[in-house]
Short mmCIF file of all heavy atoms in Angstrom, two decimals:
data_model
loop_
_atom_site.label_atom_id
_atom_site.label_comp_id
_atom_site.label_asym_id
_atom_site.label_seq_id
_atom_site.Cartn_x
_atom_site.Cartn_y
_atom_site.Cartn_z
N TYR A 1 102.85 -22.10 -53.10
CA TYR A 1 102.64 -20.92 -53.90
C TYR A 1 102.80 -21.22 -55.38
O TYR A 1 102.04 -20.71 -56.18
CB TYR A 1 103.59 -19.81 -53.46
CG TYR A 1 103.12 -19.12 -52.22
CD1 TYR A 1 103.51 -19.58 -50.98
CD2 TYR A 1 102.26 -18.03 -52.28
CE1 TYR A 1 103.06 -18.97 -49.83
CE2 TYR A 1 101.81 -17.41 -51.14
CZ TYR A 1 102.21 -17.89 -49.91
OH TYR A 1 101.76 -17.28 -48.78
N LEU A 2 103.76 -22.03 -55.70
CA LEU A 2 103.98 -22.34 -57.11
C LEU A 2 102.75 -23.00 -57.72
O LEU A 2 102.30 -22.63 -58.79
CB LEU A 2 105.22 -23.24 -57.26
CG LEU A 2 105.70 -23.52 -58.67
CD1 LEU A 2 106.03 -22.22 -59.38
CD2 LEU A 2 106.91 -24.42 -58.64
N LYS A 3 102.19 -23.95 -57.00
CA LYS A 3 101.02 -24.67 -57.50
C LYS A 3 99.77 -23.79 -57.48
O LYS A 3 98.96 -23.82 -58.39
CB LYS A 3 100.80 -25.91 -56.63
CG LYS A 3 99.95 -26.96 -57.27
CD LYS A 3 99.97 -28.20 -56.41
CE LYS A 3 99.48 -29.39 -57.18
NZ LYS A 3 99.46 -30.59 -56.41
N ARG A 4 99.62 -22.99 -56.46
CA ARG A 4 98.42 -22.18 -56.29
C ARG A 4 98.40 -20.95 -57.19
O ARG A 4 97.35 -20.55 -57.68
CB ARG A 4 98.29 -21.74 -54.83
CG ARG A 4 97.05 -20.91 -54.55
CD ARG A 4 96.92 -20.59 -53.10
NE ARG A 4 96.76 -21.78 -52.33
CZ ARG A 4 95.67 -22.08 -51.63
NH1 ARG A 4 94.67 -21.27 -51.61
NH2 ARG A 4 95.61 -23.20 -50.95
N TYR A 5 99.54 -20.31 -57.38
CA TYR A 5 99.57 -19.02 -58.05
C TYR A 5 100.22 -19.02 -59.43
O TYR A 5 100.35 -17.97 -60.05
CB TYR A 5 100.26 -17.98 -57.16
CG TYR A 5 99.51 -17.76 -55.87
CD1 TYR A 5 100.04 -18.17 -54.66
CD2 TYR A 5 98.25 -17.17 -55.87
CE1 TYR A 5 99.35 -17.97 -53.47
CE2 TYR A 5 97.55 -16.98 -54.69
CZ TYR A 5 98.11 -17.38 -53.50
OH TYR A 5 97.42 -17.19 -52.33
N GLN A 6 100.66 -20.16 -59.90
CA GLN A 6 101.25 -20.24 -61.24
C GLN A 6 100.41 -21.18 -62.08
O GLN A 6 100.20 -22.32 -61.67
CB GLN A 6 102.69 -20.76 -61.18
CG GLN A 6 103.67 -19.77 -60.67
CD GLN A 6 104.03 -18.72 -61.72
OE1 GLN A 6 103.45 -18.65 -62.79
NE2 GLN A 6 104.97 -17.89 -61.38
N PRO A 7 99.90 -20.84 -63.19
CA PRO A 7 99.96 -19.48 -63.72
C PRO A 7 98.94 -18.60 -63.03
O PRO A 7 97.97 -19.09 -62.43
CB PRO A 7 99.59 -19.66 -65.20
CG PRO A 7 98.66 -20.83 -65.20
CD PRO A 7 99.17 -21.73 -64.09
N PHE A 8 99.14 -17.30 -63.10
CA PHE A 8 98.22 -16.33 -62.51
C PHE A 8 96.87 -16.43 -63.22
O PHE A 8 96.80 -16.43 -64.44
CB PHE A 8 98.79 -14.92 -62.66
CG PHE A 8 97.86 -13.84 -62.16
CD1 PHE A 8 97.53 -13.77 -60.83
CD2 PHE A 8 97.32 -12.92 -63.03
CE1 PHE A 8 96.68 -12.79 -60.36
CE2 PHE A 8 96.47 -11.93 -62.58
CZ PHE A 8 96.14 -11.86 -61.25
N LYS A 9 95.82 -16.55 -62.43
CA LYS A 9 94.46 -16.69 -62.98
C LYS A 9 93.72 -15.38 -62.76
O LYS A 9 93.08 -15.17 -61.74
CB LYS A 9 93.76 -17.85 -62.30
CG LYS A 9 94.45 -19.19 -62.54
CD LYS A 9 93.93 -20.24 -61.56
CE LYS A 9 94.74 -21.50 -61.64
NZ LYS A 9 96.02 -21.42 -60.96
N GLU A 10 93.82 -14.49 -63.76
CA GLU A 10 93.25 -13.15 -63.62
C GLU A 10 91.74 -13.19 -63.37
O GLU A 10 91.23 -12.44 -62.53
CB GLU A 10 93.54 -12.31 -64.86
CG GLU A 10 93.03 -10.89 -64.74
CD GLU A 10 93.35 -10.05 -65.94
OE1 GLU A 10 93.70 -10.59 -67.01
OE2 GLU A 10 93.22 -8.82 -65.82
N LYS A 11 91.02 -14.06 -64.06
CA LYS A 11 89.57 -14.15 -63.89
C LYS A 11 89.22 -14.50 -62.44
O LYS A 11 88.33 -13.88 -61.84
CB LYS A 11 89.01 -15.20 -64.85
CG LYS A 11 87.51 -15.32 -64.81
CD LYS A 11 87.01 -16.34 -65.82
CE LYS A 11 85.51 -16.52 -65.71
NZ LYS A 11 85.01 -17.54 -66.63
N LYS A 12 89.93 -15.44 -61.87
CA LYS A 12 89.67 -15.84 -60.48
C LYS A 12 90.03 -14.71 -59.51
O LYS A 12 89.30 -14.42 -58.57
CB LYS A 12 90.47 -17.09 -60.13
CG LYS A 12 90.21 -17.58 -58.71
CD LYS A 12 90.95 -18.86 -58.43
CE LYS A 12 89.93 -19.96 -58.42
NZ LYS A 12 90.45 -21.25 -57.99
N PHE A 13 91.16 -14.05 -59.78
CA PHE A 13 91.58 -12.93 -58.94
C PHE A 13 90.53 -11.82 -58.94
O PHE A 13 90.15 -11.32 -57.87
CB PHE A 13 92.93 -12.38 -59.43
CG PHE A 13 93.39 -11.17 -58.70
CD1 PHE A 13 93.93 -11.25 -57.44
CD2 PHE A 13 93.28 -9.92 -59.29
CE1 PHE A 13 94.36 -10.12 -56.75
CE2 PHE A 13 93.71 -8.77 -58.63
CZ PHE A 13 94.25 -8.88 -57.36
N LEU A 14 90.04 -11.45 -60.12
CA LEU A 14 89.04 -10.38 -60.21
C LEU A 14 87.73 -10.79 -59.54
O LEU A 14 87.07 -9.96 -58.90
CB LEU A 14 88.82 -10.00 -61.67
CG LEU A 14 90.02 -9.35 -62.34
CD1 LEU A 14 89.75 -9.12 -63.83
CD2 LEU A 14 90.41 -8.05 -61.66
N GLU A 15 87.37 -12.05 -59.65
CA GLU A 15 86.17 -12.55 -58.97
C GLU A 15 86.33 -12.43 -57.45
O GLU A 15 85.42 -11.99 -56.75
CB GLU A 15 85.90 -13.99 -59.37
CG GLU A 15 84.69 -14.60 -58.70
CD GLU A 15 84.47 -16.05 -59.08
OE1 GLU A 15 85.38 -16.69 -59.64
OE2 GLU A 15 83.37 -16.55 -58.79
N GLN A 16 87.48 -12.81 -56.95
CA GLN A 16 87.74 -12.70 -55.52
C GLN A 16 87.70 -11.25 -55.06
O GLN A 16 87.19 -10.94 -53.98
CB GLN A 16 89.10 -13.33 -55.19
CG GLN A 16 89.11 -14.83 -55.34
CD GLN A 16 90.50 -15.43 -55.25
OE1 GLN A 16 91.50 -14.75 -55.46
NE2 GLN A 16 90.56 -16.72 -54.96
N MET A 17 88.22 -10.34 -55.89
CA MET A 17 88.19 -8.92 -55.54
C MET A 17 86.76 -8.39 -55.51
O MET A 17 86.40 -7.58 -54.66
CB MET A 17 89.04 -8.10 -56.52
CG MET A 17 90.53 -8.35 -56.43
SD MET A 17 91.23 -7.95 -54.80
CE MET A 17 91.45 -9.60 -54.12
N ARG A 18 85.90 -8.86 -56.41
CA ARG A 18 84.49 -8.45 -56.41
C ARG A 18 83.79 -8.92 -55.13
O ARG A 18 83.04 -8.17 -54.51
CB ARG A 18 83.75 -8.99 -57.63
CG ARG A 18 84.06 -8.22 -58.91
CD ARG A 18 83.14 -8.60 -60.05
NE ARG A 18 83.25 -10.00 -60.44
CZ ARG A 18 84.14 -10.49 -61.30
NH1 ARG A 18 85.00 -9.68 -61.87
NH2 ARG A 18 84.15 -11.77 -61.59
N TYR A 19 84.06 -10.15 -54.72
CA TYR A 19 83.46 -10.65 -53.48
C TYR A 19 83.99 -9.88 -52.27
O TYR A 19 83.23 -9.56 -51.36
CB TYR A 19 83.72 -12.15 -53.31
CG TYR A 19 82.76 -13.00 -54.08
CD1 TYR A 19 83.18 -13.71 -55.21
CD2 TYR A 19 81.42 -13.11 -53.72
CE1 TYR A 19 82.30 -14.50 -55.94
CE2 TYR A 19 80.54 -13.89 -54.44
CZ TYR A 19 80.98 -14.58 -55.55
OH TYR A 19 80.10 -15.35 -56.26
N LEU A 20 85.25 -9.58 -52.27
CA LEU A 20 85.81 -8.80 -51.16
C LEU A 20 85.19 -7.41 -51.12
O LEU A 20 84.86 -6.90 -50.05
CB LEU A 20 87.34 -8.72 -51.28
CG LEU A 20 88.05 -8.07 -50.10
CD1 LEU A 20 87.77 -8.81 -48.79
CD2 LEU A 20 89.56 -8.04 -50.37
N ASP A 21 85.00 -6.80 -52.30
CA ASP A 21 84.37 -5.49 -52.36
C ASP A 21 82.94 -5.55 -51.81
O ASP A 21 82.52 -4.66 -51.06
CB ASP A 21 84.37 -4.97 -53.80
CG ASP A 21 83.88 -3.55 -53.88
OD1 ASP A 21 84.58 -2.64 -53.37
OD2 ASP A 21 82.80 -3.32 -54.45
N ARG A 22 82.22 -6.59 -52.15
CA ARG A 22 80.86 -6.76 -51.63
C ARG A 22 80.87 -6.93 -50.11
O ARG A 22 79.99 -6.41 -49.42
CB ARG A 22 80.19 -7.96 -52.29
CG ARG A 22 79.82 -7.70 -53.75
CD ARG A 22 79.33 -8.91 -54.47
NE ARG A 22 78.15 -9.51 -53.84
CZ ARG A 22 77.63 -10.66 -54.20
NH1 ARG A 22 78.16 -11.35 -55.20
NH2 ARG A 22 76.58 -11.14 -53.58
N PHE A 23 81.87 -7.64 -49.61
CA PHE A 23 81.99 -7.82 -48.16
C PHE A 23 82.28 -6.48 -47.48
O PHE A 23 81.67 -6.16 -46.46
CB PHE A 23 83.08 -8.84 -47.86
CG PHE A 23 83.24 -9.14 -46.40
CD1 PHE A 23 82.24 -9.77 -45.69
CD2 PHE A 23 84.40 -8.79 -45.73
CE1 PHE A 23 82.38 -10.05 -44.34
CE2 PHE A 23 84.55 -9.06 -44.39
CZ PHE A 23 83.54 -9.69 -43.69
N PHE A 24 83.19 -5.71 -48.05
CA PHE A 24 83.49 -4.38 -47.51
C PHE A 24 82.22 -3.51 -47.52
O PHE A 24 81.94 -2.82 -46.54
CB PHE A 24 84.56 -3.68 -48.36
CG PHE A 24 85.97 -3.92 -47.90
CD1 PHE A 24 86.65 -5.06 -48.26
CD2 PHE A 24 86.63 -2.99 -47.11
CE1 PHE A 24 87.95 -5.28 -47.86
CE2 PHE A 24 87.93 -3.19 -46.69
CZ PHE A 24 88.60 -4.34 -47.07
N ALA A 25 81.49 -3.53 -48.61
CA ALA A 25 80.26 -2.72 -48.72
C ALA A 25 79.23 -3.16 -47.68
O ALA A 25 78.57 -2.31 -47.06
CB ALA A 25 79.69 -2.83 -50.13
N PHE A 26 79.08 -4.46 -47.49
CA PHE A 26 78.14 -4.97 -46.49
C PHE A 26 78.53 -4.47 -45.10
O PHE A 26 77.68 -4.00 -44.35
CB PHE A 26 78.11 -6.50 -46.52
CG PHE A 26 77.32 -7.09 -45.39
CD1 PHE A 26 75.94 -7.15 -45.47
CD2 PHE A 26 77.95 -7.58 -44.26
CE1 PHE A 26 75.20 -7.69 -44.42
CE2 PHE A 26 77.22 -8.12 -43.21
CZ PHE A 26 75.84 -8.17 -43.29
N CYS A 27 79.81 -4.59 -44.77
CA CYS A 27 80.26 -4.14 -43.46
C CYS A 27 80.04 -2.64 -43.27
O CYS A 27 79.60 -2.20 -42.20
CB CYS A 27 81.74 -4.48 -43.26
SG CYS A 27 82.04 -6.25 -43.05
N ALA A 28 80.30 -1.87 -44.30
CA ALA A 28 80.09 -0.42 -44.22
C ALA A 28 78.61 -0.11 -44.00
O ALA A 28 78.27 0.73 -43.16
CB ALA A 28 80.60 0.26 -45.49
N LYS A 29 77.75 -0.80 -44.72
CA LYS A 29 76.31 -0.57 -44.59
C LYS A 29 75.81 -0.93 -43.19
O LYS A 29 74.90 -0.29 -42.66
CB LYS A 29 75.57 -1.40 -45.64
CG LYS A 29 74.09 -1.14 -45.69
CD LYS A 29 73.44 -1.91 -46.82
CE LYS A 29 71.94 -1.64 -46.84
NZ LYS A 29 71.28 -2.39 -47.92
N GLN A 30 76.40 -1.95 -42.61
CA GLN A 30 75.99 -2.42 -41.29
C GLN A 30 76.76 -1.72 -40.15
O GLN A 30 76.61 -2.09 -38.99
CB GLN A 30 76.20 -3.94 -41.18
CG GLN A 30 75.40 -4.75 -42.18
CD GLN A 30 73.91 -4.62 -41.96
OE1 GLN A 30 73.42 -4.63 -40.84
NE2 GLN A 30 73.17 -4.47 -43.04
N ASN A 31 77.59 -0.76 -40.51
CA ASN A 31 78.44 -0.06 -39.54
C ASN A 31 79.34 -1.02 -38.76
O ASN A 31 79.53 -0.89 -37.55
CB ASN A 31 77.61 0.79 -38.57
CG ASN A 31 76.95 1.94 -39.29
OD1 ASN A 31 77.58 2.61 -40.10
ND2 ASN A 31 75.68 2.16 -39.01
N ILE A 32 79.88 -1.98 -39.47
CA ILE A 32 80.81 -2.95 -38.89
C ILE A 32 82.22 -2.50 -39.24
O ILE A 32 82.54 -2.33 -40.42
CB ILE A 32 80.55 -4.37 -39.43
CG1 ILE A 32 79.15 -4.84 -39.05
CG2 ILE A 32 81.62 -5.34 -38.92
CD1 ILE A 32 78.71 -6.12 -39.74
N LYS A 33 83.02 -2.29 -38.22
CA LYS A 33 84.41 -1.88 -38.46
C LYS A 33 85.19 -3.09 -38.97
O LYS A 33 85.21 -4.15 -38.36
CB LYS A 33 85.04 -1.36 -37.17
CG LYS A 33 86.43 -0.84 -37.36
CD LYS A 33 86.99 -0.27 -36.06
CE LYS A 33 88.38 0.25 -36.28
NZ LYS A 33 88.93 0.82 -35.05
N LEU A 34 85.81 -2.91 -40.10
CA LEU A 34 86.57 -3.98 -40.73
C LEU A 34 88.05 -3.62 -40.67
O LEU A 34 88.43 -2.50 -40.99
CB LEU A 34 86.12 -4.15 -42.18
CG LEU A 34 86.65 -5.32 -42.96
CD1 LEU A 34 86.23 -6.64 -42.33
CD2 LEU A 34 86.13 -5.26 -44.39
N ILE A 35 88.85 -4.55 -40.27
CA ILE A 35 90.29 -4.33 -40.19
C ILE A 35 90.96 -5.20 -41.26
O ILE A 35 90.78 -6.41 -41.29
CB ILE A 35 90.84 -4.69 -38.79
CG1 ILE A 35 90.18 -3.79 -37.75
CG2 ILE A 35 92.36 -4.55 -38.75
CD1 ILE A 35 90.49 -4.16 -36.32
N LEU A 36 91.70 -4.54 -42.12
CA LEU A 36 92.41 -5.22 -43.20
C LEU A 36 93.85 -5.44 -42.78
O LEU A 36 94.56 -4.50 -42.44
CB LEU A 36 92.34 -4.35 -44.46
CG LEU A 36 92.91 -4.91 -45.74
CD1 LEU A 36 92.15 -6.16 -46.17
CD2 LEU A 36 92.82 -3.85 -46.84
N VAL A 37 94.28 -6.69 -42.80
CA VAL A 37 95.64 -7.05 -42.38
C VAL A 37 96.31 -7.81 -43.52
O VAL A 37 95.72 -8.73 -44.09
CB VAL A 37 95.61 -7.94 -41.11
CG1 VAL A 37 97.01 -8.35 -40.70
CG2 VAL A 37 94.91 -7.23 -39.98
N ASN A 38 97.51 -7.41 -43.86
CA ASN A 38 98.26 -8.10 -44.90
C ASN A 38 99.20 -9.11 -44.25
O ASN A 38 100.00 -8.76 -43.38
CB ASN A 38 99.07 -7.09 -45.73
CG ASN A 38 99.72 -7.74 -46.93
OD1 ASN A 38 99.22 -8.72 -47.45
ND2 ASN A 38 100.83 -7.18 -47.35
N MET A 39 99.07 -10.36 -44.68
CA MET A 39 99.93 -11.41 -44.16
C MET A 39 101.34 -11.24 -44.75
O MET A 39 101.48 -11.11 -45.97
CB MET A 39 99.38 -12.77 -44.55
CG MET A 39 100.19 -13.93 -44.02
SD MET A 39 99.46 -15.49 -44.54
CE MET A 39 100.52 -15.89 -45.91
N PRO A 40 102.35 -11.20 -43.91
CA PRO A 40 103.70 -11.07 -44.47
C PRO A 40 104.09 -12.31 -45.26
O PRO A 40 103.75 -13.43 -44.89
CB PRO A 40 104.58 -10.89 -43.23
CG PRO A 40 103.78 -11.36 -42.08
CD PRO A 40 102.34 -11.28 -42.47
N LEU A 41 104.77 -12.08 -46.36
CA LEU A 41 105.25 -13.18 -47.19
C LEU A 41 106.76 -13.12 -47.28
O LEU A 41 107.34 -12.04 -47.33
CB LEU A 41 104.67 -13.08 -48.61
CG LEU A 41 103.16 -13.17 -48.74
CD1 LEU A 41 102.74 -13.00 -50.19
CD2 LEU A 41 102.66 -14.49 -48.20
N SER A 42 107.35 -14.27 -47.34
CA SER A 42 108.81 -14.31 -47.48
C SER A 42 109.18 -13.94 -48.91
O SER A 42 108.40 -14.16 -49.85
CB SER A 42 109.33 -15.71 -47.16
OG SER A 42 108.94 -16.61 -48.17
N PRO A 43 110.37 -13.41 -49.11
CA PRO A 43 110.82 -13.11 -50.48
C PRO A 43 110.79 -14.36 -51.37
O PRO A 43 110.50 -14.26 -52.56
CB PRO A 43 112.25 -12.61 -50.29
CG PRO A 43 112.28 -12.07 -48.89
CD PRO A 43 111.33 -12.96 -48.12
N GLU A 44 111.05 -15.52 -50.79
CA GLU A 44 111.03 -16.77 -51.56
C GLU A 44 109.63 -17.04 -52.11
O GLU A 44 109.48 -17.45 -53.27
CB GLU A 44 111.49 -17.95 -50.70
CG GLU A 44 112.95 -17.89 -50.30
CD GLU A 44 113.22 -16.98 -49.10
OE1 GLU A 44 112.25 -16.58 -48.39
OE2 GLU A 44 114.39 -16.66 -48.87
N ASN A 45 108.59 -16.84 -51.29
CA ASN A 45 107.22 -17.07 -51.74
C ASN A 45 106.80 -16.05 -52.79
O ASN A 45 106.12 -16.39 -53.75
CB ASN A 45 106.25 -17.04 -50.56
CG ASN A 45 106.31 -18.32 -49.76
OD1 ASN A 45 106.85 -19.32 -50.19
ND2 ASN A 45 105.75 -18.29 -48.56
N ILE A 46 107.21 -14.82 -52.62
CA ILE A 46 106.88 -13.78 -53.60
C ILE A 46 107.51 -14.11 -54.95
O ILE A 46 106.87 -13.94 -56.00
CB ILE A 46 107.32 -12.40 -53.10
CG1 ILE A 46 106.46 -12.01 -51.88
CG2 ILE A 46 107.19 -11.34 -54.19
CD1 ILE A 46 106.93 -10.77 -51.16
N ARG A 47 108.72 -14.64 -54.93
CA ARG A 47 109.40 -15.00 -56.18
C ARG A 47 108.70 -16.14 -56.91
O ARG A 47 108.83 -16.28 -58.12
CB ARG A 47 110.87 -15.36 -55.91
CG ARG A 47 111.76 -14.14 -55.76
CD ARG A 47 113.23 -14.52 -55.83
NE ARG A 47 113.66 -15.39 -54.76
CZ ARG A 47 114.09 -14.98 -53.56
NH1 ARG A 47 114.17 -13.71 -53.29
NH2 ARG A 47 114.46 -15.84 -52.65
N LEU A 48 107.94 -16.96 -56.20
CA LEU A 48 107.22 -18.06 -56.83
C LEU A 48 105.97 -17.59 -57.58
O LEU A 48 105.43 -18.32 -58.41
CB LEU A 48 106.81 -19.10 -55.78
CG LEU A 48 107.95 -19.88 -55.14
CD1 LEU A 48 107.42 -20.76 -54.02
CD2 LEU A 48 108.70 -20.71 -56.17
N MET A 49 105.54 -16.37 -57.31
CA MET A 49 104.37 -15.82 -57.99
C MET A 49 104.78 -15.24 -59.33
O MET A 49 105.92 -14.88 -59.54
CB MET A 49 103.75 -14.70 -57.14
CG MET A 49 103.19 -15.15 -55.83
SD MET A 49 102.52 -13.73 -54.96
CE MET A 49 102.23 -14.46 -53.37
N ALA A 50 103.79 -15.16 -60.23
CA ALA A 50 104.05 -14.51 -61.52
C ALA A 50 104.49 -13.07 -61.27
O ALA A 50 104.01 -12.43 -60.33
CB ALA A 50 102.78 -14.55 -62.37
N PRO A 51 105.39 -12.56 -62.06
CA PRO A 51 105.87 -11.18 -61.87
C PRO A 51 104.71 -10.19 -61.84
O PRO A 51 103.80 -10.23 -62.66
CB PRO A 51 106.76 -10.94 -63.09
CG PRO A 51 107.20 -12.30 -63.51
CD PRO A 51 106.05 -13.21 -63.20
N GLY A 52 104.74 -9.32 -60.84
CA GLY A 52 103.73 -8.28 -60.71
C GLY A 52 102.48 -8.68 -59.95
O GLY A 52 101.67 -7.84 -59.58
N THR A 53 102.32 -9.98 -59.68
CA THR A 53 101.11 -10.46 -59.02
C THR A 53 100.95 -9.90 -57.62
O THR A 53 99.88 -9.42 -57.24
CB THR A 53 101.09 -12.00 -58.96
OG1 THR A 53 101.19 -12.52 -60.28
CG2 THR A 53 99.83 -12.52 -58.32
N TYR A 54 102.01 -9.95 -56.83
CA TYR A 54 101.92 -9.48 -55.44
C TYR A 54 101.68 -7.97 -55.41
O TYR A 54 100.88 -7.49 -54.60
CB TYR A 54 103.17 -9.87 -54.66
CG TYR A 54 103.07 -9.60 -53.18
CD1 TYR A 54 102.03 -10.14 -52.43
CD2 TYR A 54 104.00 -8.81 -52.53
CE1 TYR A 54 101.92 -9.89 -51.07
CE2 TYR A 54 103.90 -8.56 -51.17
CZ TYR A 54 102.87 -9.10 -50.45
OH TYR A 54 102.76 -8.85 -49.10
N GLN A 55 102.31 -7.24 -56.30
CA GLN A 55 102.10 -5.79 -56.35
C GLN A 55 100.66 -5.48 -56.76
O GLN A 55 100.04 -4.56 -56.22
CB GLN A 55 103.09 -5.13 -57.31
CG GLN A 55 103.06 -3.62 -57.24
CD GLN A 55 103.41 -3.09 -55.85
OE1 GLN A 55 104.40 -3.49 -55.25
NE2 GLN A 55 102.58 -2.21 -55.32
N LEU A 56 100.11 -6.23 -57.70
CA LEU A 56 98.72 -6.07 -58.10
C LEU A 56 97.80 -6.28 -56.91
O LEU A 56 96.88 -5.49 -56.66
CB LEU A 56 98.37 -7.04 -59.22
CG LEU A 56 96.91 -7.08 -59.67
CD1 LEU A 56 96.49 -5.74 -60.26
CD2 LEU A 56 96.70 -8.22 -60.66
N TYR A 57 98.05 -7.33 -56.15
CA TYR A 57 97.27 -7.62 -54.95
C TYR A 57 97.36 -6.46 -53.95
O TYR A 57 96.34 -5.99 -53.44
CB TYR A 57 97.76 -8.92 -54.32
CG TYR A 57 97.34 -9.10 -52.90
CD1 TYR A 57 96.04 -9.50 -52.59
CD2 TYR A 57 98.22 -8.87 -51.85
CE1 TYR A 57 95.63 -9.65 -51.27
CE2 TYR A 57 97.82 -9.02 -50.54
CZ TYR A 57 96.54 -9.41 -50.25
OH TYR A 57 96.13 -9.55 -48.95
N LYS A 58 98.57 -5.99 -53.69
CA LYS A 58 98.73 -4.89 -52.73
C LYS A 58 98.05 -3.62 -53.22
O LYS A 58 97.44 -2.91 -52.43
CB LYS A 58 100.21 -4.63 -52.46
CG LYS A 58 100.87 -5.76 -51.67
CD LYS A 58 102.24 -5.45 -51.11
CE LYS A 58 103.18 -4.77 -52.05
NZ LYS A 58 104.51 -4.56 -51.49
N ASN A 59 98.11 -3.36 -54.52
CA ASN A 59 97.44 -2.18 -55.08
C ASN A 59 95.92 -2.28 -54.91
O ASN A 59 95.27 -1.30 -54.55
CB ASN A 59 97.78 -2.01 -56.56
CG ASN A 59 99.21 -1.61 -56.79
OD1 ASN A 59 99.93 -1.20 -55.87
ND2 ASN A 59 99.67 -1.76 -58.01
N LYS A 60 95.37 -3.45 -55.16
CA LYS A 60 93.92 -3.64 -55.01
C LYS A 60 93.50 -3.47 -53.56
O LYS A 60 92.46 -2.88 -53.27
CB LYS A 60 93.50 -5.02 -55.51
CG LYS A 60 93.54 -5.16 -57.01
CD LYS A 60 92.43 -4.36 -57.65
CE LYS A 60 92.35 -4.64 -59.13
NZ LYS A 60 91.34 -3.82 -59.79
N MET A 61 94.31 -3.98 -52.64
CA MET A 61 93.98 -3.82 -51.22
C MET A 61 94.03 -2.36 -50.82
O MET A 61 93.18 -1.87 -50.06
CB MET A 61 94.93 -4.64 -50.34
CG MET A 61 94.79 -6.16 -50.48
SD MET A 61 93.14 -6.76 -50.08
CE MET A 61 92.51 -7.06 -51.71
N ALA A 62 95.01 -1.63 -51.32
CA ALA A 62 95.13 -0.20 -51.01
C ALA A 62 93.92 0.56 -51.57
O ALA A 62 93.38 1.46 -50.90
CB ALA A 62 96.43 0.36 -51.59
N GLN A 63 93.47 0.19 -52.76
CA GLN A 63 92.29 0.82 -53.35
C GLN A 63 91.06 0.58 -52.51
O GLN A 63 90.25 1.49 -52.28
CB GLN A 63 92.06 0.31 -54.77
CG GLN A 63 93.06 0.78 -55.78
CD GLN A 63 92.88 0.07 -57.13
OE1 GLN A 63 91.98 -0.75 -57.33
NE2 GLN A 63 93.78 0.38 -58.06
N MET A 64 90.90 -0.64 -52.04
CA MET A 64 89.73 -0.95 -51.20
C MET A 64 89.80 -0.23 -49.87
O MET A 64 88.78 0.28 -49.38
CB MET A 64 89.61 -2.46 -50.99
CG MET A 64 89.22 -3.17 -52.23
SD MET A 64 88.03 -4.44 -51.90
CE MET A 64 88.14 -5.31 -53.45
N ALA A 65 90.98 -0.18 -49.30
CA ALA A 65 91.14 0.52 -48.02
C ALA A 65 90.79 2.00 -48.20
O ALA A 65 90.12 2.59 -47.35
CB ALA A 65 92.57 0.36 -47.51
N ALA A 66 91.22 2.60 -49.30
CA ALA A 66 90.91 4.00 -49.56
C ALA A 66 89.41 4.20 -49.82
O ALA A 66 88.81 5.17 -49.35
CB ALA A 66 91.73 4.50 -50.76
N LYS A 67 88.82 3.27 -50.54
CA LYS A 67 87.40 3.37 -50.88
C LYS A 67 86.50 3.31 -49.66
O LYS A 67 85.52 4.03 -49.55
CB LYS A 67 87.04 2.26 -51.87
CG LYS A 67 85.59 2.25 -52.33
CD LYS A 67 85.37 1.14 -53.35
CE LYS A 67 83.92 1.06 -53.79
NZ LYS A 67 83.74 -0.02 -54.78
N TYR A 68 86.85 2.42 -48.73
CA TYR A 68 85.99 2.20 -47.57
C TYR A 68 86.52 2.78 -46.27
O TYR A 68 85.91 2.65 -45.23
CB TYR A 68 85.72 0.69 -47.40
CG TYR A 68 84.88 0.15 -48.53
CD1 TYR A 68 85.45 -0.57 -49.57
CD2 TYR A 68 83.51 0.39 -48.58
CE1 TYR A 68 84.68 -1.06 -50.62
CE2 TYR A 68 82.74 -0.08 -49.62
CZ TYR A 68 83.33 -0.80 -50.63
OH TYR A 68 82.55 -1.28 -51.66
N GLY A 69 87.69 3.42 -46.36
CA GLY A 69 88.25 4.11 -45.20
C GLY A 69 88.73 3.19 -44.16
O GLY A 69 88.92 3.40 -43.05
#
């Protein structure tokens, strides 16, 4: 986690969110039921991330879940 998520790469994160949004939209258009599952992380791994990163991720996932039902 330290190597992968430090420093936080906002541009890459937003790009990944755009691709995920496109995937959600494709599934919705094709009437494919999509199940979103959050992988549990240990407190130790969360602490290795830049402050606020995990909450940002969870917020974005909640927004997508609300958008696509």
Side-chain angles (χ1 to χ4, degrees):
Y1 281 90
L2 187 58
K3 199 172 197 181
R4 181 176 297 244
Y5 298 111
Q6 286 283 7
F8 176 65
K9 298 165 188 78
E10 183 178 16
K11 184 178 176 182
K12 182 177 253 188
F13 175 76
L14 293 175
E15 179 182 14
Q16 291 170 338
M17 292 299 104
R18 283 190 298 274
Y19 278 109
L20 186 59
D21 187 67
R22 288 173 58 188
F23 182 66
F24 269 83
F26 172 80
C27 289
K29 186 176 180 180
Q30 299 296 318
N31 293 316
I32 298 170
K33 184 177 180 179
L34 188 61
I35 299 172
L36 185 63
V37 178
N38 188 28
M39 182 180 100
L41 298 178
S42 70
E44 293 81 14
N45 283 346
I46 293 171
R47 280 194 296 273
L48 292 174
M49 295 179 190
T53 302
Y54 188 56
Q55 189 60 49
L56 175 64
Y57 162 77
K58 291 192 315 183
N59 291 346
K60 288 289 188 184
M61 292 301 104
Q63 289 172 2
M64 290 221 194
K67 181 178 177 179
Y68 293 102

